[in-house]
PDB file of all heavy atoms in Angstrom:
ATOM      1  N   LYS A   1      95.361  59.445  96.563  1.00 76.00           N
ATOM      2  CA  LYS A   1      95.254  58.120  95.955  1.00 76.00           C
ATOM      3  C   LYS A   1      93.906  57.681  95.809  1.00 76.00           C
ATOM      4  O   LYS A   1      93.595  56.787  94.986  1.00 76.00           O
ATOM      5  CB  LYS A   1      96.126  57.093  96.646  1.00 76.00           C
ATOM      6  CG  LYS A   1      95.753  56.623  98.099  1.00 76.00           C
ATOM      7  CD  LYS A   1      96.644  55.567  98.510  1.00 76.00           C
ATOM      8  CE  LYS A   1      96.266  55.110  99.884  1.00 76.00           C
ATOM      9  NZ  LYS A   1      97.064  53.986 100.334  1.00 76.00           N
ATOM     10  N   PHE A   2      92.905  58.214  96.624  1.00 73.00           N
ATOM     11  CA  PHE A   2      91.465  57.727  96.528  1.00 73.00           C
ATOM     12  C   PHE A   2      90.710  58.788  95.721  1.00 73.00           C
ATOM     13  O   PHE A   2      89.511  58.684  95.662  1.00 73.00           O
ATOM     14  CB  PHE A   2      90.915  57.731  97.896  1.00 73.00           C
ATOM     15  CG  PHE A   2      91.615  56.689  98.790  1.00 73.00           C
ATOM     16  CD1 PHE A   2      92.281  57.132  99.920  1.00 73.00           C
ATOM     17  CD2 PHE A   2      91.486  55.286  98.532  1.00 73.00           C
ATOM     18  CE1 PHE A   2      92.901  56.213 100.731  1.00 73.00           C
ATOM     19  CE2 PHE A   2      92.086  54.356  99.284  1.00 73.00           C
ATOM     20  CZ  PHE A   2      92.823  54.750 100.433  1.00 73.00           C
ATOM     21  N   GLY A   3      91.416  59.752  95.134  1.00 70.00           N
ATOM     22  CA  GLY A   3      90.775  60.791  94.220  1.00 70.00           C
ATOM     23  C   GLY A   3      90.337  60.225  92.928  1.00 70.00           C
ATOM     24  O   GLY A   3      90.916  59.071  92.557  1.00 70.00           O
ATOM     25  N   ASN A   4      89.375  60.876  92.210  1.00 71.00           N
ATOM     26  CA  ASN A   4      88.974  60.423  90.853  1.00 71.00           C
ATOM     27  C   ASN A   4      89.612  61.281  89.908  1.00 71.00           C
ATOM     28  O   ASN A   4      90.683  61.833  90.059  1.00 71.00           O
ATOM     29  CB  ASN A   4      87.512  60.470  90.865  1.00 71.00           C
ATOM     30  CG  ASN A   4      86.929  61.906  91.172  1.00 71.00           C
ATOM     31  OD1 ASN A   4      87.637  62.874  91.281  1.00 71.00           O
ATOM     32  ND2 ASN A   4      85.591  62.010  91.579  1.00 71.00           N
ATOM     33  N   ILE A   5      88.926  61.462  88.677  1.00 69.00           N
ATOM     34  CA  ILE A   5      89.582  62.255  87.695  1.00 69.00           C
ATOM     35  C   ILE A   5      89.649  63.693  88.026  1.00 69.00           C
ATOM     36  O   ILE A   5      90.322  64.493  87.211  1.00 69.00           O
ATOM     37  CB  ILE A   5      88.689  62.111  86.313  1.00 69.00           C
ATOM     38  CG1 ILE A   5      87.248  62.395  86.563  1.00 69.00           C
ATOM     39  CG2 ILE A   5      88.821  60.677  85.760  1.00 69.00           C
ATOM     40  CD1 ILE A   5      86.437  62.505  85.310  1.00 69.00           C
ATOM     41  N   MET A   6      88.990  64.124  89.012  1.00 72.00           N
ATOM     42  CA  MET A   6      89.033  65.568  89.445  1.00 72.00           C
ATOM     43  C   MET A   6      90.167  65.801  90.427  1.00 72.00           C
ATOM     44  O   MET A   6      90.229  66.809  91.097  1.00 72.00           O
ATOM     45  CB  MET A   6      87.702  65.971  90.102  1.00 72.00           C
ATOM     46  CG  MET A   6      86.471  65.762  89.207  1.00 72.00           C
ATOM     47  SD  MET A   6      86.554  66.707  87.712  1.00 72.00           S
ATOM     48  CE  MET A   6      85.994  68.249  88.315  1.00 72.00           C
ATOM     49  N   ASN A   7      91.182  64.962  90.412  1.00 75.00           N
ATOM     50  CA  ASN A   7      92.258  65.039  91.364  1.00 75.00           C
ATOM     51  C   ASN A   7      93.118  66.353  90.979  1.00 75.00           C
ATOM     52  O   ASN A   7      93.067  66.816  89.835  1.00 75.00           O
ATOM     53  CB  ASN A   7      93.147  63.841  91.269  1.00 75.00           C
ATOM     54  CG  ASN A   7      93.704  63.410  92.639  1.00 75.00           C
ATOM     55  OD1 ASN A   7      93.874  64.218  93.562  1.00 75.00           O
ATOM     56  ND2 ASN A   7      94.032  62.173  92.741  1.00 75.00           N
ATOM     57  N   HIS A   8      93.914  66.884  91.840  1.00 72.00           N
ATOM     58  CA  HIS A   8      94.632  68.109  91.678  1.00 72.00           C
ATOM     59  C   HIS A   8      95.992  67.815  90.985  1.00 72.00           C
ATOM     60  O   HIS A   8      96.400  66.656  90.889  1.00 72.00           O
ATOM     61  CB  HIS A   8      94.852  68.768  92.985  1.00 72.00           C
ATOM     62  CG  HIS A   8      95.783  67.977  93.919  1.00 72.00           C
ATOM     63  ND1 HIS A   8      95.350  67.025  94.734  1.00 72.00           N
ATOM     64  CD2 HIS A   8      97.159  68.012  94.084  1.00 72.00           C
ATOM     65  CE1 HIS A   8      96.278  66.393  95.368  1.00 72.00           C
ATOM     66  NE2 HIS A   8      97.412  67.090  95.074  1.00 72.00           N
ATOM     67  N   GLU A   9      96.633  68.881  90.492  1.00 75.00           N
ATOM     68  CA  GLU A   9      97.997  68.750  89.912  1.00 75.00           C
ATOM     69  C   GLU A   9      98.974  68.908  90.994  1.00 75.00           C
ATOM     70  O   GLU A   9      98.882  69.918  91.746  1.00 75.00           O
ATOM     71  CB  GLU A   9      98.152  69.860  88.866  1.00 75.00           C
ATOM     72  CG  GLU A   9      99.366  69.628  87.941  1.00 75.00           C
ATOM     73  CD  GLU A   9      99.354  70.496  86.686  1.00 75.00           C
ATOM     74  OE1 GLU A   9      98.303  70.662  86.117  1.00 75.00           O
ATOM     75  OE2 GLU A   9     100.391  70.988  86.420  1.00 75.00           O
ATOM     76  N   PRO A  10     100.066  68.059  91.090  1.00 75.00           N
ATOM     77  CA  PRO A  10     100.902  68.086  92.261  1.00 75.00           C
ATOM     78  C   PRO A  10     101.719  69.323  92.362  1.00 75.00           C
ATOM     79  O   PRO A  10     101.980  69.791  93.533  1.00 75.00           O
ATOM     80  CB  PRO A  10     101.816  66.867  92.049  1.00 75.00           C
ATOM     81  CG  PRO A  10     101.019  65.924  91.181  1.00 75.00           C
ATOM     82  CD  PRO A  10     100.128  66.864  90.314  1.00 75.00           C
ATOM     83  N   LYS A  11     102.290  69.920  91.313  1.00 79.00           N
ATOM     84  CA  LYS A  11     103.151  70.998  91.390  1.00 79.00           C
ATOM     85  C   LYS A  11     102.677  72.378  91.044  1.00 79.00           C
ATOM     86  O   LYS A  11     103.446  73.230  90.642  1.00 79.00           O
ATOM     87  CB  LYS A  11     104.479  70.674  90.624  1.00 79.00           C
ATOM     88  CG  LYS A  11     105.473  69.748  91.391  1.00 79.00           C
ATOM     89  CD  LYS A  11     106.829  70.282  91.252  1.00 79.00           C
ATOM     90  CE  LYS A  11     107.684  69.399  92.034  1.00 79.00           C
ATOM     91  NZ  LYS A  11     109.064  70.029  92.294  1.00 79.00           N
ATOM     92  N   SER A  12     101.412  72.561  91.088  1.00 81.00           N
ATOM     93  CA  SER A  12     100.858  73.922  90.637  1.00 81.00           C
ATOM     94  C   SER A  12     101.139  74.994  91.673  1.00 81.00           C
ATOM     95  O   SER A  12     101.395  74.639  92.832  1.00 81.00           O
ATOM     96  CB  SER A  12      99.363  73.758  90.348  1.00 81.00           C
ATOM     97  OG  SER A  12      98.662  73.463  91.607  1.00 81.00           O
ATOM     98  N   ASP A  13     101.146  76.228  91.283  1.00 87.00           N
ATOM     99  CA  ASP A  13     101.340  77.359  92.149  1.00 87.00           C
ATOM    100  C   ASP A  13     100.016  77.557  92.993  1.00 87.00           C
ATOM    101  O   ASP A  13      98.927  77.482  92.409  1.00 87.00           O
ATOM    102  CB  ASP A  13     101.598  78.683  91.348  1.00 87.00           C
ATOM    103  CG  ASP A  13     102.972  78.552  90.612  1.00 87.00           C
ATOM    104  OD1 ASP A  13     103.720  77.574  90.918  1.00 87.00           O
ATOM    105  OD2 ASP A  13     103.253  79.566  89.816  1.00 87.00           O
ATOM    106  N   ARG A  14     100.170  77.776  94.232  1.00 88.00           N
ATOM    107  CA  ARG A  14      99.080  77.929  95.103  1.00 88.00           C
ATOM    108  C   ARG A  14      99.106  79.308  95.735  1.00 88.00           C
ATOM    109  O   ARG A  14     100.173  79.790  96.194  1.00 88.00           O
ATOM    110  CB  ARG A  14      99.131  76.903  96.179  1.00 88.00           C
ATOM    111  CG  ARG A  14      98.882  75.489  95.607  1.00 88.00           C
ATOM    112  CD  ARG A  14      99.299  74.383  96.432  1.00 88.00           C
ATOM    113  NE  ARG A  14      98.944  73.192  95.752  1.00 88.00           N
ATOM    114  CZ  ARG A  14      99.872  72.490  95.062  1.00 88.00           C
ATOM    115  NH1 ARG A  14     101.008  72.991  94.897  1.00 88.00           N
ATOM    116  NH2 ARG A  14      99.425  71.288  94.469  1.00 88.00           N
ATOM    117  N   LYS A  15      97.921  80.025  95.747  1.00 90.00           N
ATOM    118  CA  LYS A  15      97.794  81.356  96.205  1.00 90.00           C
ATOM    119  C   LYS A  15      97.832  81.372  97.751  1.00 90.00           C
ATOM    120  O   LYS A  15      97.160  80.524  98.479  1.00 90.00           O
ATOM    121  CB  LYS A  15      96.484  81.945  95.783  1.00 90.00           C
ATOM    122  CG  LYS A  15      96.375  83.427  96.131  1.00 90.00           C
ATOM    123  CD  LYS A  15      95.036  83.990  95.466  1.00 90.00           C
ATOM    124  CE  LYS A  15      94.889  85.381  95.881  1.00 90.00           C
ATOM    125  NZ  LYS A  15      93.689  86.061  95.327  1.00 90.00           N
ATOM    126  N   LEU A  16      98.630  82.347  98.379  1.00 92.00           N
ATOM    127  CA  LEU A  16      98.669  82.524  99.817  1.00 92.00           C
ATOM    128  C   LEU A  16      97.742  83.728 100.205  1.00 92.00           C
ATOM    129  O   LEU A  16      97.725  84.681  99.425  1.00 92.00           O
ATOM    130  CB  LEU A  16     100.021  82.748 100.276  1.00 92.00           C
ATOM    131  CG  LEU A  16     100.957  81.575 100.028  1.00 92.00           C
ATOM    132  CD1 LEU A  16     102.457  81.844 100.514  1.00 92.00           C
ATOM    133  CD2 LEU A  16     100.499  80.300 100.800  1.00 92.00           C
ATOM    134  N   LEU A  17      97.134  83.657 101.321  1.00 92.00           N
ATOM    135  CA  LEU A  17      96.236  84.665 101.820  1.00 92.00           C
ATOM    136  C   LEU A  17      96.886  85.551 102.929  1.00 92.00           C
ATOM    137  O   LEU A  17      97.109  85.082 104.041  1.00 92.00           O
ATOM    138  CB  LEU A  17      94.945  84.129 102.325  1.00 92.00           C
ATOM    139  CG  LEU A  17      94.231  83.133 101.364  1.00 92.00           C
ATOM    140  CD1 LEU A  17      93.121  82.444 102.042  1.00 92.00           C
ATOM    141  CD2 LEU A  17      93.702  83.887 100.098  1.00 92.00           C
ATOM    142  N   LEU A  18      97.259  86.811 102.525  1.00 92.00           N
ATOM    143  CA  LEU A  18      97.876  87.736 103.492  1.00 92.00           C
ATOM    144  C   LEU A  18      97.157  89.006 103.354  1.00 92.00           C
ATOM    145  O   LEU A  18      96.470  89.333 102.345  1.00 92.00           O
ATOM    146  CB  LEU A  18      99.280  87.971 103.176  1.00 92.00           C
ATOM    147  CG  LEU A  18     100.247  86.854 103.424  1.00 92.00           C
ATOM    148  CD1 LEU A  18     101.656  87.026 102.623  1.00 92.00           C
ATOM    149  CD2 LEU A  18     100.541  86.721 104.901  1.00 92.00           C
ATOM    150  N   HIS A  19      97.239  89.895 104.332  1.00 93.00           N
ATOM    151  CA  HIS A  19      96.701  91.220 104.231  1.00 93.00           C
ATOM    152  C   HIS A  19      97.490  92.110 103.271  1.00 93.00           C
ATOM    153  O   HIS A  19      98.603  91.883 103.090  1.00 93.00           O
ATOM    154  CB  HIS A  19      96.737  91.889 105.669  1.00 93.00           C
ATOM    155  CG  HIS A  19      95.854  91.267 106.660  1.00 93.00           C
ATOM    156  ND1 HIS A  19      94.531  91.393 106.673  1.00 93.00           N
ATOM    157  CD2 HIS A  19      96.158  90.369 107.740  1.00 93.00           C
ATOM    158  CE1 HIS A  19      94.020  90.652 107.666  1.00 93.00           C
ATOM    159  NE2 HIS A  19      95.033  90.070 108.245  1.00 93.00           N
ATOM    160  N   LYS A  20      96.832  93.053 102.584  1.00 92.00           N
ATOM    161  CA  LYS A  20      97.482  93.920 101.672  1.00 92.00           C
ATOM    162  C   LYS A  20      98.687  94.667 102.192  1.00 92.00           C
ATOM    163  O   LYS A  20      99.726  94.843 101.566  1.00 92.00           O
ATOM    164  CB  LYS A  20      96.470  94.907 101.159  1.00 92.00           C
ATOM    165  CG  LYS A  20      95.593  94.397 100.033  1.00 92.00           C
ATOM    166  CD  LYS A  20      95.787  95.221  98.787  1.00 92.00           C
ATOM    167  CE  LYS A  20      94.651  94.948  97.764  1.00 92.00           C
ATOM    168  NZ  LYS A  20      95.056  93.982  96.795  1.00 92.00           N
ATOM    169  N   LYS A  21      98.523  95.161 103.506  1.00 92.00           N
ATOM    170  CA  LYS A  21      99.562  95.800 104.249  1.00 92.00           C
ATOM    171  C   LYS A  21     100.873  94.911 104.317  1.00 92.00           C
ATOM    172  O   LYS A  21     101.952  95.361 104.072  1.00 92.00           O
ATOM    173  CB  LYS A  21      99.159  96.219 105.572  1.00 92.00           C
ATOM    174  CG  LYS A  21      99.762  97.442 106.117  1.00 92.00           C
ATOM    175  CD  LYS A  21      99.092  97.737 107.506  1.00 92.00           C
ATOM    176  CE  LYS A  21      99.038  99.185 107.707  1.00 92.00           C
ATOM    177  NZ  LYS A  21      98.415  99.646 108.952  1.00 92.00           N
ATOM    178  N   GLN A  22     100.624  93.653 104.646  1.00 91.00           N
ATOM    179  CA  GLN A  22     101.786  92.705 104.828  1.00 91.00           C
ATOM    180  C   GLN A  22     102.381  92.428 103.386  1.00 91.00           C
ATOM    181  O   GLN A  22     103.559  92.370 103.335  1.00 91.00           O
ATOM    182  CB  GLN A  22     101.245  91.385 105.331  1.00 91.00           C
ATOM    183  CG  GLN A  22     100.834  91.443 106.808  1.00 91.00           C
ATOM    184  CD  GLN A  22     100.235  90.088 107.285  1.00 91.00           C
ATOM    185  OE1 GLN A  22      99.506  89.398 106.570  1.00 91.00           O
ATOM    186  NE2 GLN A  22     100.571  89.730 108.501  1.00 91.00           N
ATOM    187  N   ILE A  23     101.558  92.357 102.374  1.00 91.00           N
ATOM    188  CA  ILE A  23     102.103  92.041 101.057  1.00 91.00           C
ATOM    189  C   ILE A  23     102.917  93.269 100.590  1.00 91.00           C
ATOM    190  O   ILE A  23     104.071  92.979  99.999  1.00 91.00           O
ATOM    191  CB  ILE A  23     100.991  91.774 100.074  1.00 91.00           C
ATOM    192  CG1 ILE A  23     100.177  90.487 100.389  1.00 91.00           C
ATOM    193  CG2 ILE A  23     101.486  91.711  98.625  1.00 91.00           C
ATOM    194  CD1 ILE A  23      99.033  90.250  99.641  1.00 91.00           C
ATOM    195  N   ARG A  24     102.488  94.458 100.821  1.00 90.00           N
ATOM    196  CA  ARG A  24     103.280  95.625 100.421  1.00 90.00           C
ATOM    197  C   ARG A  24     104.530  95.705 101.160  1.00 90.00           C
ATOM    198  O   ARG A  24     105.683  96.046 100.615  1.00 90.00           O
ATOM    199  CB  ARG A  24     102.473  96.887 100.685  1.00 90.00           C
ATOM    200  CG  ARG A  24     101.386  97.077  99.660  1.00 90.00           C
ATOM    201  CD  ARG A  24     100.737  98.482  99.719  1.00 90.00           C
ATOM    202  NE  ARG A  24      99.499  98.492  98.995  1.00 90.00           N
ATOM    203  CZ  ARG A  24      98.335  98.637  99.530  1.00 90.00           C
ATOM    204  NH1 ARG A  24      98.192  98.828 100.812  1.00 90.00           N
ATOM    205  NH2 ARG A  24      97.283  98.657  98.754  1.00 90.00           N
ATOM    206  N   LYS A  25     104.532  95.338 102.415  1.00 90.00           N
ATOM    207  CA  LYS A  25     105.762  95.348 103.221  1.00 90.00           C
ATOM    208  C   LYS A  25     106.817  94.269 102.783  1.00 90.00           C
ATOM    209  O   LYS A  25     107.975  94.634 102.582  1.00 90.00           O
ATOM    210  CB  LYS A  25     105.484  95.008 104.755  1.00 90.00           C
ATOM    211  CG  LYS A  25     106.651  95.141 105.630  1.00 90.00           C
ATOM    212  CD  LYS A  25     106.113  94.969 107.090  1.00 90.00           C
ATOM    213  CE  LYS A  25     107.439  94.923 108.046  1.00 90.00           C
ATOM    214  NZ  LYS A  25     106.995  94.653 109.445  1.00 90.00           N
ATOM    215  N   LEU A  26     106.220  93.072 102.477  1.00 89.00           N
ATOM    216  CA  LEU A  26     107.033  92.006 101.968  1.00 89.00           C
ATOM    217  C   LEU A  26     107.620  92.408 100.632  1.00 89.00           C
ATOM    218  O   LEU A  26     108.856  92.114 100.310  1.00 89.00           O
ATOM    219  CB  LEU A  26     106.268  90.712 101.816  1.00 89.00           C
ATOM    220  CG  LEU A  26     105.959  90.020 103.138  1.00 89.00           C
ATOM    221  CD1 LEU A  26     104.983  88.856 102.817  1.00 89.00           C
ATOM    222  CD2 LEU A  26     107.234  89.487 103.776  1.00 89.00           C
ATOM    223  N   CYS A  27     106.819  93.014  99.779  1.00 89.00           N
ATOM    224  CA  CYS A  27     107.290  93.420  98.346  1.00 89.00           C
ATOM    225  C   CYS A  27     108.534  94.386  98.491  1.00 89.00           C
ATOM    226  O   CYS A  27     109.411  94.264  97.771  1.00 89.00           O
ATOM    227  CB  CYS A  27     106.115  94.054  97.686  1.00 89.00           C
ATOM    228  SG  CYS A  27     106.358  94.160  95.842  1.00 89.00           S
ATOM    229  N   SER A  28     108.376  95.358  99.395  1.00 88.00           N
ATOM    230  CA  SER A  28     109.481  96.314  99.551  1.00 88.00           C
ATOM    231  C   SER A  28     110.744  95.656 100.148  1.00 88.00           C
ATOM    232  O   SER A  28     111.859  95.947  99.709  1.00 88.00           O
ATOM    233  CB  SER A  28     109.119  97.455 100.449  1.00 88.00           C
ATOM    234  OG  SER A  28     108.844  97.028 101.760  1.00 88.00           O
ATOM    235  N   LYS A  29     110.592  94.728 101.036  1.00 88.00           N
ATOM    236  CA  LYS A  29     111.738  93.992 101.603  1.00 88.00           C
ATOM    237  C   LYS A  29     112.412  93.079 100.600  1.00 88.00           C
ATOM    238  O   LYS A  29     113.661  92.961 100.553  1.00 88.00           O
ATOM    239  CB  LYS A  29     111.278  93.120 102.769  1.00 88.00           C
ATOM    240  CG  LYS A  29     110.915  93.866 104.076  1.00 88.00           C
ATOM    241  CD  LYS A  29     112.138  94.296 104.783  1.00 88.00           C
ATOM    242  CE  LYS A  29     111.736  94.804 106.116  1.00 88.00           C
ATOM    243  NZ  LYS A  29     112.941  95.062 106.936  1.00 88.00           N
TER     244      LYS A  29
END
């Protein structure tokens, strides 16, 4: 509420940071 015109969009997709090995394992699961 104290942000200016550079405020963020509420429902945008946000990137998560995981190791490649974890991402591959999750992808197969």
Side-chain angles (χ1 to χ4, degrees):
K1 69 178 183 179
F2 300 111
N4 54 15
I5 56 170
M6 302 300 278
N7 220 336
H8 66 277
E9 193 168 319
K11 278 223 173 195
S12 63
D13 293 351
R14 291 163 180 93
K15 186 175 178 180
L16 296 179
L17 306 171
L18 288 163
H19 295 282
K20 280 238 192 264
K21 209 177 214 180
Q22 289 176 324
I23 294 172
R24 287 191 192 113
K25 184 178 177 184
L26 285 173
C27 196
S28 66
K29 288 279 192 178

